[in-house]
Amino acid sequence: MKKSLSLGIALSCLSVLVLNAQESNTEKPAEAALLSKSLPVVDTVELKQIQQSLNKEMKGNPSKPDQKVFLFKEVKGDSTTYNLKDRKYAAKIDERWIEELTTGTLYDSISALVDDTEYEEVNYPELTTETLKKRLADLNARTPFNIEYNPSLENVIKGYLKRHKPTLERLMGLSEFYFPGFEETFDKYDMPLELKYLAIVESALRPRAKSHAGATGIWQFMFGTGKLYGLDISSYVDERMDPIMSTEAAAKYLSKLYEIFGDWDLALASYNSGPGNVSKAIRRSGGRTNYWNIRHHLPRETAGYVPAFLATMYIFEYAEEHGYKPQKPDINYFETDTVRVKEMLTLQQVSAYTGVSLEEIQFLNPAYKLDIIPYVSDEDYYLRLPVTALGPFVNNETEIYATAKEEMKREEETLPEYLEVPSSVTYRVRSGDYLGKIAERYSVGVSQIKRWNNLRSNSLRVGQRLILYPTKPVATAGATAPAAKASKKYVVKKGDSLWTIARKFPGVSAENLKVWNDLSGNSLKPGMTLVIAN
């Protein structure tokens, strides 16, 4: 029992467990005995050096078998630490899969896919009209969505099948992790489980996806809507990026929209463009309430939104019939669990203490914007880990928090101040102020300020009070902002990419850079200045 538990701790990713079980007959008893050590505290810098060395070896001789399963190296000091030498082939698989989980390429792909919702006839002889009609009728019979056949939907589905198979296969693999949690939440609210496919259309299952308009997370909540449905947004935390919390909020929001419209197609349309645009489309269509009858009166994005949802549902439900072979994830939802954090921790520390890779920790805990889990007396923040690492973490909590506290003391001045994002602030206009200046300061739009305050023009008077709903943390008057002092700056050079820049700063990912600098895509221009928050 002790041997198997330690084995689970030692491995950084769950796929290695499977591979190790398959190759267990090659291990020597003496090597296996090393696994009975207590919770390993991993020096991540040395791990990176080991991994680089392993990668070089792989390139030179990819077929060379592993000589040893693990290499533990004792480091004398206040505590005993160990370095793990993983199986080279399995580690390379894990590296590629974690990169797949954490990069933003799928978000760009799904955006292009939704924009590609054309209605012209598509030649795709592999799927006949009669077969499609039968399958859509079957879907229509077992879901509350209106999935009746029409030529427009047929062309959208065939267009996706013809042009976007690689993207959809990758999303199917990623969905293996997220869909169980989505289904659990929708089942709790007695909602259609097929709503899980909406997250693919919204964000390509990217917890840190951010649109040009500021919609954030898997369910693409705007700031105000997220706060309205109880999502915590602060300097450290954005629960719009938490898969569990945001799904709970999305379920409540979609339930309210369905209560208003009494139709799931219209509820989806209003989720995308707002109930007001849907009600206007109903008026302009002469009072019709079928989505396909009002579609031409909706904003262009929404006109392609519901067809994209239905086409995605069809392809996922009939993936096997169309020969889709998605890659299974190495991390499964049911093989993870959470523990409430009792002291401030960084994700880098969690990685070092548990032996789980930083990339995997970041993937499992995307709501912590700066890779720091804060401790606030009246808030509960949770750490999600693979179950193989959770037990040892809980068993060693006292030592973990004590060690982390000592490390925090040495770095105390570099930690950002905890700033809550207020639901609203009252701003008093000063001499020299204008709407654009105020909007930039609080990261909102000029049109939003005018709407919130019923302004008919851009004119302001000194002393005038404005109600604002900021989208970023702000310090109150007179407060200091250590976060700005602690942040580093990086000037983009020719040939730089988010990935190459992130590699220059330990513990920083490309996704971190996008969040810290409000980047919606991966494009960079030489001369740009990026903020490095840690």
Side-chain angles (χ1 to χ4, degrees):
M1 183 69 175
K2 185 177 181 182
K3 174 182 172 182
S4 62
L5 176 61
S6 300
L7 177 61
I9 299 165
L11 299 177
S12 62
C13 287
L14 296 173
S15 62
V16 184
L17 283 170
V18 178
L19 185 59
N20 193 49
Q22 294 172 342
E23 301 180 4
S24 60
N25 61 329
T26 65
E27 295 177 9
K28 298 178 181 179
E31 293 167 348
L34 290 172
L35 300 178
S36 63
K37 300 284 187 180
S38 60
L39 175 69
V41 181
V42 182
D43 184 327
T44 55
V45 174
E46 292 189 15
L47 270 179
K48 288 180 180 178
Q49 294 172 349
I50 291 174
Q51 183 62 51
Q52 290 171 358
S53 175
L54 294 175
N55 289 341
K56 288 180 180 178
E57 291 178 18
M58 283 189 66
K59 291 179 180 178
N61 189 4
S63 62
K64 184 179 179 181
D66 294 344
Q67 299 300 316
K68 292 185 178 181
V69 181
F70 298 105
L71 171 64
F72 289 91
K73 178 182 178 182
E74 185 172 345
V75 179
K76 294 182 179 180
D78 294 337
S79 60
T80 303
T81 60
Y82 298 91
N83 292 317
L84 283 69
K85 183 176 181 181
D86 200 355
R87 293 182 183 277
K88 292 178 289 185
Y89 178 69
K92 194 64 180 175
I93 292 173
D94 292 343
E95 180 185 337
R96 289 178 177 175
W97 178 245
I98 292 296
E99 182 181 357
E100 174 71 12
L101 295 176
T102 54
T103 58
T105 56
L106 272 179
Y107 180 60
D108 297 332
S109 298
I110 198 67
S111 298
L113 188 147
V114 175
D115 290 342
D116 190 29
T117 306
E118 301 292 344
Y119 303 100
E120 288 78 13
E121 185 174 351
V122 176
N123 181 30
Y124 191 76
E126 294 90 335
L127 176 62
T128 66
T129 299
E130 289 306 312
T131 299
L132 179 60
K133 284 182 177 180
K134 183 180 183 305
R135 291 175 180 173
L136 291 179
D138 290 341
L139 276 180
N140 193 52
R142 64 176 188 257
T143 75
F145 299 95
N146 180 20
I147 321 180
E148 295 179 3
Y149 170 84
N150 66 67
S152 295
L153 181 57
E154 176 178 14
N155 290 320
V156 173
I157 290 172
K158 288 185 174 180
Y160 283 14
L161 288 169
K162 187 174 184 177
R163 294 188 288 269
H164 301 293
K165 183 175 181 179
T167 295
L168 289 164
E169 277 187 325
R170 292 163 67 197
L171 285 166
M172 287 174 186
L174 195 54
S175 72
E176 294 278 340
F177 178 83
Y178 287 111
F179 277 5
F182 295 171
E183 290 174 341
E184 184 179 346
T185 300
F186 290 133
D187 178 65
K188 181 173 72 173
Y189 286 94
D190 197 24
M191 299 170 70
L193 301 187
E194 292 84 5
L195 287 168
K196 63 190 178 185
Y197 298 122
L198 188 65
I200 290 176
V201 179
E202 284 288 347
S203 65
L205 299 176
R206 288 293 178 235
R208 290 188 170 182
K210 192 169 186 178
S211 74
H212 293 289
T216 300
I218 281 182
W219 297 99
Q220 290 290 279
F221 274 104
M222 295 297 289
F223 172 80
T225 311
K227 295 287 282 187
L228 178 65
Y229 283 90
L231 296 177
D232 181 18
I233 306 170
S234 70
S235 305
Y236 285 108
V237 181
D238 189 340
E239 287 182 346
R240 293 178 296 174
M241 297 189 286
D242 183 286
I244 304 301
M245 298 289 192
S246 64
T247 302
E248 188 85 11
K252 293 176 181 178
Y253 186 28
L254 284 163
S255 290
K256 180 58 66 176
L257 293 173
Y258 179 71
E259 183 182 320
I260 292 171
F261 289 99
D263 179 276
W264 280 112
D265 293 341
L266 298 184
L268 293 183
S270 61
Y271 186 90
N272 178 254
S273 66
N277 280 322
V278 175
S279 63
K280 283 187 285 187
I282 291 173
R283 289 189 182 94
R284 289 168 178 162
S285 67
R288 296 182 179 183
T289 57
N290 181 287
Y291 169 80
W292 291 95
N293 290 331
I294 71 169
R295 179 172 55 85
H296 298 292
H297 300 288
L298 289 168
R300 175 177 172 79
E301 179 187 348
T302 310
Y305 183 77
V306 174
F309 168 78
L310 296 176
T312 301
M313 182 195 303
Y314 167 82
I315 293 172
F316 269 68
E317 293 289 334
Y318 289 97
E320 187 175 344
E321 287 80 353
H322 286 287
Y324 280 69
K325 297 177 181 177
Q327 179 181 0
K328 299 294 183 181
D330 296 325
I331 309 169
N332 291 303
Y333 175 76
F334 292 117
E335 294 175 302
T336 68
D337 203 350
T338 58
V339 59
R340 186 171 68 86
V341 173
K342 299 175 182 177
E343 298 287 346
M344 179 180 279
L345 285 172
T346 69
L347 300 191
Q348 183 80 39
Q349 287 173 323
V350 174
S351 174
Y353 302 156
T354 62
V356 180
S357 70
L358 177 61
E359 290 79 6
E360 187 173 346
I361 298 291
Q362 290 172 325
F363 169 70
L364 294 174
N365 299 274
Y368 301 114
K369 298 192 290 186
L370 305 182
D371 287 349
I372 298 171
I373 308 174
Y375 176 74
V376 183
S377 59
D378 59 346
E379 297 282 356
D380 289 332
Y381 295 118
Y382 293 87
L383 170 67
R384 182 171 291 275
L385 289 170
V387 291
T388 52
L390 192 70
F393 181 93
V394 173
N395 194 50
N396 291 269
E397 272 187 324
T398 302
E399 293 80 5
I400 285 173
Y401 289 127
T403 303
K405 192 171 184 178
E406 288 301 314
E407 293 176 350
M408 291 289 187
K409 283 182 180 179
R410 294 194 296 267
E411 302 177 6
E412 193 171 15
E413 293 185 359
T414 69
L415 293 175
E417 176 188 6
Y418 181 88
L419 299 176
E420 185 69 32
V421 178
S423 297
S424 66
V425 297
T426 302
Y427 181 81
R428 188 171 182 176
V429 177
R430 302 169 186 172
S431 177
D433 277 344
Y434 54 91
L435 284 178
K437 180 179 179 181
I438 298 170
E440 182 178 0
R441 177 176 179 179
Y442 288 92
S443 298
V444 298
V446 170
S447 61
Q448 290 177 304
I449 297 177
K450 294 175 72 174
R451 185 171 68 252
W452 293 332
N453 295 275
N454 294 319
L455 301 179
R456 297 181 179 276
S457 70
N458 293 333
S459 300
L460 298 174
R461 65 178 185 280
V462 175
Q464 181 178 358
R465 294 183 184 277
L466 300 175
I467 300 297
L468 306 173
Y469 297 88
T471 62
K472 288 184 178 180
V474 293
T476 56
T480 58
K485 296 179 182 178
S487 297
K488 302 173 185 176
K489 305 285 186 181
Y490 181 85
V491 179
V492 177
K493 303 178 180 63
K494 185 177 180 180
D496 275 345
S497 68
L498 289 174
W499 186 83
T500 58
I501 295 171
R503 302 289 286 181
K504 298 176 187 290
F505 300 93
V508 174
S509 69
E511 203 65 27
N512 291 150
L513 296 176
K514 293 174 73 172
V515 172
W516 295 337
N517 295 277
D518 290 327
L519 301 176
S520 58
N522 297 317
S523 299
L524 296 175
K525 294 181 180 179
M528 285 177 63
T529 299
L530 299 180
V531 173
I532 313 296
N534 73 335

